[in-house]
Amino acid sequence: MEAPYPTTPISPSTTRIGWIGIGLMGSPMASRLLAAGYSLTVFARNPSKALHLQSQGAFLANSPQHLAQSCDVVFTIIGGPPDVRSVVLGPTGVLSGLNPGGVTVDMTTSSPSLAREISNAAGGKLGWAVDAPVSGADAGAREGKLAIMAGGDSRIVEWLSPLFEIMGKCTYVGGAGCGQSCKIGNQIVGSANLVGLSEALTFAGRAGLDLGKVLAGLKGGPAANKIMELFGEKMIERDFRPGGFAEYLVKDFGIGLNFVEEDEGEVVALPGAALCKQLFSGMIANGDAKLGLQGVITVIERLNGIN
């Protein structure tokens, strides 16, 4: 028997939403759904961290299973593949309580193969699963300007569009696991731009240039990009507060560089991604795992004897 497609359009008056993951990204995303008038139930391993959402009207569940039993759509945005496996597929996980026709949406940057496993398991429960990782850092989460890369059944992704529109812009990229594969590509491009910007500013500093003027010059030419807009001034001002943690990006690289092995597919050489992983791993080795991604400039500086 195939899972039934949802027949009731999503709306604040009828759709019950579950949310798991209230960290740097998840908390403002959940807040936006509450502000839009949706009923939201939250699960948090540390319930005290959900108090600010409860003050906005959120309910609290005592397990992912309990949450799923009372919701039509369940979102997760948590640490990484082991967390996703436990929270979604575990004995008291989301799928153990998912209702027929229910939908689980994982917005964590996770493994494409795990996304496909979850999709198959959800189908066995007569439900649906979508992998929809996001990009845009905490500012994008607060402002509803995230890039959402969705994989799964196209009709389900379309049905979810009223919720995605509250959080950002959703692009459907293919079947189960494709959202995660697209996000890996996003991380490869974004990290290469961060390293390039770090090297450019380090070089300009050694040449005695005014870094503010250098950045303005770069923004006026073809080298300009979103990474430069988000992180350029922060690098110059030594503002390394996180919009996303360096350690999470290293985790994402681990998923990408191991992707071929776990899927037994054709080998893809990713030398730039491997180098970027080493540089961001340098942040962790230097004790800066919880700094923002713009902190990679400190690794480039150390390589040049700049402390």
Side-chain angles (χ1 to χ4, degrees):
M1 184 181 296
E2 294 186 355
Y5 283 99
T7 57
T8 303
I10 285 178
S11 74
S13 61
T14 60
T15 306
R16 302 166 301 169
I17 299 173
W19 196 276
I20 302 175
I22 50 175
L24 198 63
M25 298 288 289
S27 179
M29 295 164 73
S31 290
R32 290 189 61 83
L33 292 171
L34 284 165
Y38 283 92
S39 172
L40 193 80
T41 301
V42 176
F43 169 74
R45 284 177 290 188
N46 183 348
S48 65
K49 292 185 177 180
L51 289 174
H52 67 291
L53 292 174
Q54 288 180 275
S55 71
Q56 299 172 50
F59 303 100
L60 190 64
N62 58 27
S63 71
Q65 181 185 60
H66 176 231
L67 179 144
Q69 289 170 342
S70 63
C71 294
D72 304 301
V73 183
V74 178
F75 288 93
T76 51
I77 180 164
I78 45 185
D83 306 288
V84 173
R85 180 175 293 280
S86 174
V87 167
V88 178
L89 296 175
T92 59
V94 171
L95 291 191
S96 69
L98 192 69
N99 298 307
V103 180
T104 181
V105 184
D106 185 28
M107 308 190 89
T108 314
T109 301
S110 185
S111 160
S113 62
L114 178 56
R116 290 190 288 272
E117 182 181 346
I118 291 171
S119 179
N120 290 333
K125 297 282 292 184
L126 300 183
W128 300 93
V130 169
D131 51 293
V134 298
S135 180
D138 60 331
R142 290 192 303 271
E143 298 167 10
K145 295 181 178 179
L146 294 170
I148 305 168
M149 295 152 262
D153 186 282
S154 60
R155 287 173 59 180
I156 296 297
V157 172
E158 177 62 27
W159 180 75
L160 290 165
S161 60
L163 301 177
F164 287 145
E165 287 169 2
I166 293 169
M167 295 180 268
K169 180 179 179 181
C170 178
T171 301
Y172 176 70
V173 294
C178 290
Q180 297 296 352
S181 294
C182 185
K183 179 60 187 293
I184 291 169
N186 176 88
Q187 301 301 70
I188 292 170
V189 173
S191 61
N193 283 329
L194 279 162
V195 171
L197 179 59
S198 297
E199 292 187 350
L201 292 176
T202 301
F203 170 81
R206 272 287 176 87
L209 302 180
D210 181 311
L211 296 186
K213 292 179 179 178
V214 169
L215 188 61
L218 294 174
K219 286 182 176 180
N225 55 56
K226 190 69 173 180
I227 291 292
M228 194 176 292
E229 291 179 22
L230 287 172
F231 298 111
E233 282 83 4
K234 290 184 177 182
M235 285 183 177
I236 293 172
E237 295 168 3
R238 319 300 290 177
D239 178 2
F240 299 137
R241 289 174 295 177
F245 296 123
E247 64 180 354
Y248 283 0
L249 181 59
V250 173
K251 175 265 297 181
D252 297 347
F253 274 124
I255 296 170
L257 294 172
N258 292 329
F259 172 75
V260 174
E261 178 182 339
E262 69 181 19
D263 282 41
E264 299 181 353
E266 183 178 351
V267 173
V268 179
L270 302 172
L275 176 58
C276 286
K277 182 185 178 184
Q278 288 183 334
L279 292 170
F280 282 94
S281 294
M283 288 184 65
I284 297 175
N286 294 336
D288 296 333
K290 297 293 186 183
L291 294 187
L293 307 182
Q294 66 273 25
V296 73
I297 192 172
T298 63
V299 176
I300 303 301
E301 290 170 341
R302 284 179 181 238
L303 289 171
N304 285 278
I306 303 171
N307 294 319

